[in-house]
Amino acid sequence: MFKHYSVLLHETVDGLNIKPDGIYVDGTLGGGGHASLVCQKLSDKGRLIGIDQDKDAIAAATERLKDYQDRVTVVRSNYEQIDSVLKNLGIEKVNGIYLDLGVSSYQLDTAERGFSYRADAPLDMRMDDRNPVTAADIVNDYTESQLFHMIKNYGEDRFAQNIAKHICKYRETKRIETTLELSDIISGAIPARIRATSGHPAKRTFQAIRIELNRELDVLEESIDKMIDALDEGGRLCIITFHSLEDRIVKNKFRTAEKPCICPPEFPICTCGRKSRGKVITRKPILPSDEELSENSRSKSAKLRVFEKHTER
């Protein structure tokens, strides 16, 4: 069964400022938790487009949203294709878009998906099983330098160099095939005193591999402008992030969309001609409540940011 606790559920749906007859896009449909609440707020003239690349999520969300099938369209795709998805559906503009960038509980807890460093399974980690490349290919085929930079940049692990060296040394004798095999190699690359006082030693490296394999940061970076383009006047974009790398991209993209001027500060007036595309609604990110944190510890790093589209005239 596809399980996913819908993080910042009410905060996200409130952030969309829903119009009952509006058109909304869930770019990371998952199990359909956020989508279900959005549908409750739509009239029979409203519409929700749900996008996900995971076939298990598509199946689960379709079942969960069956009572709203008159107003829901589910598409198996990546939200980076939002422009072509909307074009294929004959939709020019939408009233709101939202993303929940967290890995679902189902993906983490289903061992055979290969996301977890706590259960033994093939090294997979694909969000979309149509991708011919798996985590095992990255672990076994990347050079030591590539592994180091991936773990350093995407995992922000201070032991990235040693982890990369241990991986390359191990694979001289055999291919690394499973999650626990990799987890043990990583543990051996981290000093015992650090392992005893920090979280799971493999957490950061697994995060780095997952981000690299699924192009998570590239997709986010390349999609935000397209999503703002797709919004109608007054439409909102809500994005939930789960680590600083994602949050930094969202914060900077929203800030640039609001205040795009690149003129030197000493210029008395703007001469670059770049126009604001709207305003940031959340000056500081919205965080989970104490109640939510007590119900779902995985929400502790979640941050919600909201942008509202306005065309400067």
Side-chain angles (χ1 to χ4, degrees):
M1 181 180 175
F2 196 103
K3 291 189 303 177
H4 183 53
Y5 184 103
S6 299
V7 174
L8 292 164
L9 172 61
H10 294 282
E11 294 87 344
T12 302
V13 176
D14 288 347
L16 289 168
N17 200 18
I18 287 178
K19 299 177 180 179
D21 60 350
I23 303 173
Y24 296 87
V25 178
D26 185 331
T28 50
L29 185 58
H34 289 94
S36 180
L37 185 56
V38 170
C39 286
Q40 290 174 35
K41 295 179 178 292
L42 294 177
S43 69
D44 55 7
K45 294 182 180 178
R47 190 170 182 190
L48 175 74
I49 315 302
I51 302 172
D52 207 291
Q53 58 187 331
D54 188 320
K55 71 177 190 299
D56 294 336
I58 291 288
T62 300
E63 173 63 23
R64 183 168 187 169
L65 301 173
K66 63 184 179 183
D67 291 343
Y68 305 105
Q69 56 186 318
D70 60 324
R71 67 199 71 169
V72 174
T73 302
V74 177
V75 180
R76 187 179 183 191
S77 185
N78 188 308
Y79 67 81
E80 70 176 323
Q81 304 295 331
I82 188 169
D83 47 353
S84 60
V85 168
L86 294 177
K87 183 179 180 181
N88 290 339
L89 294 172
I91 298 171
E92 290 188 11
K93 297 291 181 182
V94 300
N95 302 102
I97 303 168
Y98 57 99
L99 304 176
D100 172 356
L101 299 177
V103 180
S104 73
S105 299
Y106 170 84
Q107 290 165 330
L108 289 171
D109 296 338
T110 303
E112 58 265 31
R113 295 297 296 268
F115 286 97
S116 176
Y117 41 78
R118 299 183 185 278
D120 204 21
L123 268 172
D124 194 323
M125 297 196 206
R126 292 174 297 173
M127 298 287 190
D128 186 340
D129 65 4
R130 296 171 296 185
N131 183 353
V133 181
T134 68
D137 295 317
I138 288 175
V139 170
N140 289 285
D141 298 342
Y142 273 29
T143 65
E144 184 174 330
S145 176
Q146 287 175 314
L147 289 171
F148 162 64
H149 284 101
M150 177 188 71
I151 297 166
K152 179 175 180 287
N153 295 332
Y154 293 163
E156 300 180 297
D157 196 312
R158 59 182 166 143
F159 298 105
Q161 194 158 29
N162 208 32
I163 292 169
K165 183 188 295 184
H166 273 65
I167 289 172
C168 292
K169 182 70 175 175
Y170 184 94
R171 72 189 194 193
E172 287 176 5
T173 56
K174 73 178 291 291
R175 186 175 171 86
I176 302 166
E177 301 281 3
T178 72
T179 50
L180 288 190
E181 196 176 8
L182 177 60
S183 182
D184 288 343
I185 295 166
I186 296 166
S187 295
I190 295 176
R193 59 184 174 80
I194 303 297
R195 294 200 307 267
T197 56
S198 301
H200 197 288
K203 180 178 181 179
R204 292 177 180 272
T205 299
F206 271 59
Q207 172 183 294
I209 296 168
R210 193 199 76 228
I211 289 172
E212 172 79 5
L213 174 65
N214 297 290
R215 300 176 43 251
E216 293 176 26
L217 299 185
D218 291 341
V219 168
L220 179 62
E221 180 96 42
E222 295 164 9
S223 299
I224 291 177
D225 287 334
K226 287 195 285 189
M227 290 188 285
I228 294 174
D229 286 343
L231 291 173
D232 202 353
E233 188 76 7
R236 288 188 173 187
L237 172 58
C238 301
I239 304 181
I240 305 169
T241 63
F242 286 83
H243 53 76
S244 60
L245 299 171
E246 293 171 337
D247 184 58
R248 192 178 304 128
I249 290 171
V250 176
K251 180 174 66 175
N252 290 339
K253 281 286 192 179
F254 281 7
R255 182 184 296 155
T256 300
E258 180 180 57
K259 297 178 179 176
C261 178
I262 54 174
C263 295
E266 61 269 20
F267 278 28
I269 60 170
C270 173
T271 59
C272 72
R274 292 162 65 100
K275 301 294 185 182
S276 172
R277 306 180 70 196
K279 64 179 180 180
V280 178
I281 300 299
T282 48
R283 289 300 156 193
K284 291 185 177 180
I286 297 171
L287 306 178
S289 64
D290 291 340
E291 181 182 0
E292 178 167 353
L293 289 171
S294 68
E295 292 176 358
N296 177 31
S297 61
R298 286 176 177 167
S299 68
K300 65 183 177 183
S301 57
K303 293 180 178 179
L304 169 66
R305 295 185 185 272
V306 182
F307 183 85
E308 185 172 279
K309 169 87 168 278
H310 291 296
T311 304
E312 190 172 279
R313 294 179 175 84

